Amino acid sequence: MTAGSEHSDERDLADHLRLALLPGIGPRLRRALLDAFGSPAEVLRASPQQLALVPGIGPKLSGRIVDVRDSIDVASELALARQHGIQLMLDTSAEYPPLLAEIPDPPGVLYLRGTLASSDGLAVAIVGSRHATRYGLEQAERLAASLARAGVTIVSGLARGIDAAAHRGALAAGGRTLAVLGSGLLEIYPPEHAELAAQIAGAGAVLSENALRGTPLPGTFPQRNRLISGLTLGTIVVEAAERSGALITARHAYEQGREVFAVPGRVDNRLARGCHRLIRDGAKLVETADDVLEELGPLAHPVQTDDATTVRHPAELKLNDVERIVLAALDGETTAIDTVVAATGLAASQVSAALAVLEVRRLVRRVSGQLYARR
């Protein structure tokens, strides 16, 4: 990379960050501004009259943008990020999470402490009440650990109760976990979870769309919830009252076209009411990790796991070694059982048994007689 291109990249990052930090400009208005002007630099050069023509901006907000755009201290924010080992990731970056990029309102700038991995494309959110019962905490930790052992990344919000139990379950199982904050990365909330956040950063990442010193405000948590669901293939709700932030996350998941799951509870427990309502409305009832893996559909983009295996469907994480070998031997065309036997060196009885399992799990289909194809 030449010195000129480095400076250009730095200016581009600074312009994106200044646009992201403008007060009153959320992801949707940011998208409208970029559609209208083409780049953050052009947005920041626009006159109040030009800005006011953008749908949703108007004269009042356009005047505020012009008044404050030059006073935002981007240099200090970038220096602070470097000082604390925090990465700023633009939505134009190749490393930006693919699942998050698909939602209608992804953040233009994502603050990141830790690392993202290709395997994070196999992610599930676990959310629920901050005032969870022992039963709820046990179920969240158990499900997180089981899914993490299968190779699923666990995403949650670092909150007290169910969120923390989910993160701890994934960590205890040696899996990956991502925490999405409603505050800045230098304002961990709740403060007693600072050590947990550090552990998560070492086994995944802590993320936020808020400025580094951004304080937790009531309005930032519903915004944060769309990122939790947006980073995942599906959201599991474990204990939620009828008015609960976890239900907001579930609603975001529905709107984003992602799966929604719920863990049933005692009928006399008010924290089970939200989950039971979700189940009545069509959410999948969850008892085990298998219930989740079986329900998640084919991946839009194949994911490479930490052991370099390419996964096209989450249900593949449940397969034993023989079943994986047989599945890998099936190409995009129809394949005869004899061809699979020859390619794998397995006995015909082993191949037939594995194909029966793969068909039940909807990973392959029988075309006719002895011919099979991947779904």
Side-chain angles (χ1 to χ4, degrees), residues 80-316:
L80 196 59
R82 285 192 294 270
Q83 177 186 343
H84 291 274
I86 292 169
Q87 179 184 354
L88 273 69
M89 187 177 291
L90 300 180
D91 63 348
T92 54
S93 166
E95 292 78 29
Y96 196 85
L99 286 171
L100 189 61
E102 293 174 0
I103 71 173
D105 49 358
V109 178
L110 199 58
Y111 292 83
L112 166 71
R113 172 179 277 152
T115 58
L116 295 177
S118 172
S119 59
D120 295 333
L122 286 165
V124 167
I126 298 180
V127 296
S129 174
R130 288 172 170 78
H131 307 287
T133 66
R134 177 174 294 184
Y135 165 82
L137 297 174
E138 289 173 349
Q139 299 313 309
E141 191 163 344
R142 177 182 64 86
L143 284 169
S146 296
L147 288 165
R149 280 192 289 269
V152 174
T153 297
I154 302 301
V155 180
S156 199
L158 198 70
R160 300 179 181 102
I162 297 299
D163 288 21
H167 291 306
R168 290 189 175 111
L171 291 169
R176 288 185 57 80
T177 182
L178 309 179
V180 187
L181 305 188
S183 59
L185 294 191
L186 298 183
E187 295 290 338
I188 298 296
Y189 184 83
E192 68 267 24
H193 285 175
E195 177 58 32
L196 178 59
Q199 293 173 16
I200 292 168
V206 182
L207 309 105
S208 177
E209 65 179 327
N210 301 300
L212 290 170
R213 295 289 187 192
T215 55
L217 300 171
T220 62
F221 290 100
Q223 283 286 92
R224 179 276 306 269
N225 292 348
R226 86 188 195 287
L227 304 188
I228 293 176
S229 58
L231 283 161
T232 65
L233 299 169
T235 294
I236 305 171
V237 180
V238 183
E239 291 195 330
E242 290 180 291
R243 295 180 181 275
S244 166
L247 299 185
I248 296 175
T249 309
R251 189 187 74 232
H252 284 307
Y254 278 127
E255 292 171 350
Q256 294 162 353
R258 311 292 166 82
E259 297 289 345
V260 176
F261 305 88
V263 176
R266 289 172 54 105
V267 295
D268 59 352
N269 176 11
R270 66 178 185 82
L271 293 179
R273 291 174 186 167
C275 294
H276 293 168
R277 191 179 85 196
L278 286 173
I279 292 168
R280 285 196 298 271
D281 291 343
K284 315 305 185 297
L285 186 150
V286 172
E287 294 177 331
T288 68
D290 284 356
D291 296 331
V292 178
L293 296 176
E294 287 171 2
E295 192 62 39
L296 293 172
L299 301 173
H301 311 285
V303 170
Q304 192 170 60
T305 61
D306 293 338
D307 63 359
T309 301
T310 299
V311 174
R312 302 181 191 178
H313 195 297
E316 293 174 34

